[in-house]
Amino acid sequence: MHQAFIIASGGIQDGVGSLEALNLAREQVTEAGLKLERLVIDPLSTGWGTPVAKNHFRSGCGPLEALAYAQTQLREGAFEAVLIEGTDAVKTGYAKKERLPLMEIYGKDYPITQAYTDLAKQFCHEQGMTFDQFRELRDAVFENYQCSAPDQAVNPAWLADQTELFRGVDCANPYADYSGGLLLTRDDLLSSFDLHQPAIEVAGVGIGYAQGDGIDYLEELATYWHLEKALYYANLEAGLNFADKFNQGKALLEAYTCYPVVPLALLLHGKFVNSWQALPAWLQQHSLTLKGGMNLNRAPWNLPALRALIEMTQALHNSEKALGGVQGNGGLGYKQGFAILRRNA
């Protein structure tokens, strides 16, 4: 059984960043005579309910699903090199009258903000907390994001309530243009590349699916049993307990922060804390994100988890910490993914 490694990554958001290292590595794939498989994360324009093409992935968990598939094929020797890529100009590539209907994935009469409000209410019921207690945690979560992105200005208007449980700042901000990719290969082919930085091992990837998505599945979705499953398998593959490593200060984390209920569920079902009452103290001591999450670093539709994998790969090159965890969340949470990346000596 082989090991899967990320050998290059790159991304450009709103004109900032570079794909140079990624393109150079792609050239080396060609020079080495290796076959390159392409896995594509669908843009917003594809539509939510259209058939998913072969080697295409969709939803906020799509990049984690693509990574899991790439890892499996590389480990079994079926693939030699894999490019996971995505491009979407959510900010500049759509007229408002075109963009908004594409984002109405549960229909015009049930916006995502209301869907997540209903999910959060059911989550409160599951956890035995009041709505006021949830709002306190919501505020603590956003303050945590701000600590990771201290230079990001917050529009005062977005501090106003959007729903019963969420302010504007608590909702993912989708208005960003993004293009990025990850290039992976197997351990036995690493010598084919002239690497300027150590390869990053895909140590473990776990994916969990609920039985369905949307309003009819709120009770199941709020239990987050499938998130717990994803974390279990990621830890099992990596041969460690990520939450323990993170709490010991030995790992980095990029939670999926579309709405505060999602990272809160990660902390509880990933056993970062033993109860929701322990969350405020935890949030004051640890960072949920590298750069402020999907709220302050924006959320280009299906691509935030791809950007998170790219930024985590790059962060591990510059950190004394050798482990990184990345969460994916699809739709109202019916797909859950967690990846553990490891920098080897």
Side-chain angles (χ1 to χ4, degrees):
M1 187 72 73
H2 295 287
Q3 291 176 290
F5 285 86
I6 298 168
I7 58 171
S9 65
I12 299 176
Q13 179 159 311
D14 295 332
V16 178
S18 173
L19 299 176
E20 182 180 2
L22 189 65
N23 292 332
L24 289 173
R26 288 186 65 177
E27 292 176 6
Q28 292 187 45
V29 170
T30 302
E31 292 168 358
L34 303 178
K35 183 180 179 181
L36 180 65
E37 304 284 346
R38 293 176 64 247
L39 306 181
V40 179
I41 312 304
D42 283 340
L44 173 65
S45 59
T46 304
W48 186 257
T50 61
V52 180
K54 182 180 179 181
N55 285 352
H56 282 241
F57 299 83
R58 193 176 301 166
S59 89
C61 193
L64 272 294
E65 292 180 290
L67 183 67
Y69 177 63
Q71 182 206 35
T72 297
Q73 297 302 312
L74 288 166
R75 290 178 68 181
E76 294 178 354
F79 286 176
E80 295 177 325
V82 184
L83 175 66
I84 303 175
E85 61 181 342
T87 297
D88 205 350
V90 180
K91 183 178 180 181
T92 64
Y94 306 81
K96 184 177 181 180
K97 63 180 181 180
E98 176 189 14
R99 179 173 55 216
L100 293 181
L102 287 168
M103 292 182 172
E104 293 170 348
I105 63 177
Y106 303 116
K108 186 175 181 179
D109 297 328
Y110 196 47
I112 294 177
T113 49
Q114 187 57 52
Y116 266 97
T117 299
D118 292 342
L119 176 65
K121 289 180 178 179
Q122 186 65 36
F123 178 77
C124 289
H125 175 72
E126 288 285 335
Q127 296 297 326
M129 71 173 72
T130 66
F131 294 166
D132 283 340
Q133 289 167 332
F134 179 86
R135 293 185 192 96
E136 291 175 2
L137 291 174
R138 170 204 75 182
D139 295 349
V141 164
F142 183 68
E143 290 169 5
N144 187 282
Y145 304 158
Q146 286 184 300
C147 290
S148 299
D151 298 327
Q152 289 284 357
V154 177
N155 185 336
W158 286 101
L159 293 171
D161 290 338
Q162 300 294 306
T163 73
E164 185 178 350
L165 295 181
F166 301 127
R167 305 163 299 173
V169 294
D170 302 313
C171 310
N173 184 341
Y175 300 115
D177 294 348
Y178 189 79
S179 180
L182 293 165
L183 188 63
L184 298 94
T185 192
R186 308 188 310 238
D187 53 344
D188 62 319
L189 297 174
L190 285 174
S191 60
S192 303
F193 298 89
D194 180 18
L195 301 179
H196 299 288
Q197 293 178 309
I200 301 296
E201 180 191 0
V202 182
V205 187
I207 305 291
Y209 301 105
Q211 296 181 73
D213 194 32
I215 192 170
D216 294 334
Y217 295 91
L218 285 174
E219 289 188 11
E220 179 188 3
L221 295 173
T223 66
Y224 283 98
W225 67 269
H226 48 306
L227 171 57
E228 195 164 325
K229 178 181 177 181
L231 289 156
Y232 171 81
Y233 281 111
N235 281 325
L236 185 65
E237 275 193 358
L240 51 81
N241 184 307
F242 182 83
D244 285 350
K245 295 292 186 182
F246 184 84
N247 286 346
Q248 293 166 14
K250 298 179 180 179
L252 302 170
L253 177 64
E254 185 68 26
Y256 198 91
T257 68
C258 56
Y259 292 86
V261 63
V262 181
L264 291 176
L266 172 67
L267 297 180
L268 287 165
H269 290 273
K271 310 303 181 187
F272 292 83
V273 295
N274 293 321
S275 68
W276 66 262
Q277 290 88 346
L279 286 165
W282 190 98
L283 290 166
Q284 289 183 346
Q285 298 172 16
H286 305 281
S287 294
L288 282 166
T289 69
L290 297 174
K291 298 181 179 180
M294 298 167 63
N295 314 68
L296 295 176
N297 198 22
R298 301 183 186 271
W301 199 238
N302 291 329
L303 299 178
L306 177 62
R307 182 187 63 199
L309 289 166
I310 292 166
E311 292 182 348
M312 184 61 73
T313 298
Q314 296 170 349
L316 288 173
H317 288 309
N318 301 305
S319 173
E320 61 182 15
K321 300 171 184 178
L323 290 171
V326 175
Q327 181 190 13
N329 173 92
L332 197 53
Y334 77 115
K335 292 181 179 182
Q336 293 290 331
F338 196 79
I340 300 172
L341 307 183
R342 177 162 49 207
R343 183 190 70 244
N344 291 324

